[in-house]
Amino acid sequence: MKSSNFEQNLGITRLCEDILASNERIFFVSSLNKNGRAIESKFRNDRIIKKMSKTEIEMFYMQRTLQTSLSKEFDDLVGPLNSIIVQRDTFLELIFPYSKGLMLIICDLDVIPNYLAKKILFLLRDFDWAPKKTQVYYA
């Protein structure tokens, strides 16, 4: 039996909340589908996204999706892509492919990127490995 879109969306919402809660230095978490459209977004601080127009945000998401897709083209040759880390002068971006698309995290420069990436990878793997027939309950 396939889970409904509603159940999948609840799972993605919970995943975004868990990632946001995993580190107080994370400003923003967004789950993007394979077309670069936001499925779910959670904010602690939206100062970065507020500076962008709707068109710029869509371009930003599509660019990250394309970058991830192109990087995954080499999975068979050099191994699977776990994450992409982009450092800017003002923030750090962490990008993770997962079963529903990709997860984009924007955080403070003070984080330790590899430590945070491993923590997020565990959350994503738990989400992807959850038995599909298991009933999901939220308190």
Side-chain angles (χ1 to χ4, degrees):
M1 178 177 196
K2 266 191 161 177
S3 62
S4 70
N5 282 341
F6 178 71
E7 288 172 330
Q8 288 178 9
N9 288 343
L10 280 177
I12 292 170
T13 298
R14 181 61 182 212
L15 176 60
C16 287
E17 290 169 350
D18 289 350
I19 291 171
L20 191 65
S22 72
N23 190 301
E24 65 185 21
R25 299 278 188 189
I26 295 175
F27 301 139
F28 168 77
V29 177
S30 189
S31 174
L32 308 178
N33 68 19
K34 292 174 184 5
N35 297 321
R37 304 279 185 223
I39 300 170
E40 180 67 55
S41 296
K42 295 292 178 187
F43 300 88
R44 176 172 289 119
N45 179 338
D46 64 352
R47 67 180 169 85
I48 293 152
I49 297 297
K50 272 187 170 180
K51 293 178 182 180
M52 297 181 188
S53 71
K54 184 178 179 184
T55 303
E56 289 171 328
I57 292 170
E58 288 174 357
M59 287 173 45
F60 182 69
Y61 287 167
M62 282 190 267
Q63 192 275 335
R64 291 300 174 243
T65 303
L66 180 60
Q67 176 184 15
T68 303
S69 177
L70 290 172
S71 294
K72 288 180 69 55
E73 290 293 321
F74 295 96
D75 280 2
D76 291 339
L77 185 62
V78 296
L81 175 67
N82 289 321
S83 65
I84 298 171
I85 299 173
V86 178
Q87 184 171 339
R88 298 187 177 271
D89 285 344
T90 53
F91 60 87
L92 193 68
E93 296 174 50
L94 298 130
I95 304 159
F96 302 87
Y98 79 115
S99 63
K100 302 298 178 193
L102 68 96
M103 196 63 69
L104 170 65
I105 292 101
I106 296 177
C107 56
D108 195 296
L109 289 168
D110 291 342
V111 302
I112 300 169
N114 289 334
Y115 174 76
L116 183 57
K118 283 186 180 190
K119 200 173 194 180
I120 293 168
L121 281 169
F122 282 120
L123 292 170
L124 288 168
R125 287 186 178 139
D126 284 347
F127 175 82
D128 281 342
W129 290 344
K132 304 305 178 208
K133 293 181 181 179
T134 302
Q135 189 70 18
V136 179
Y137 297 99
Y138 296 97

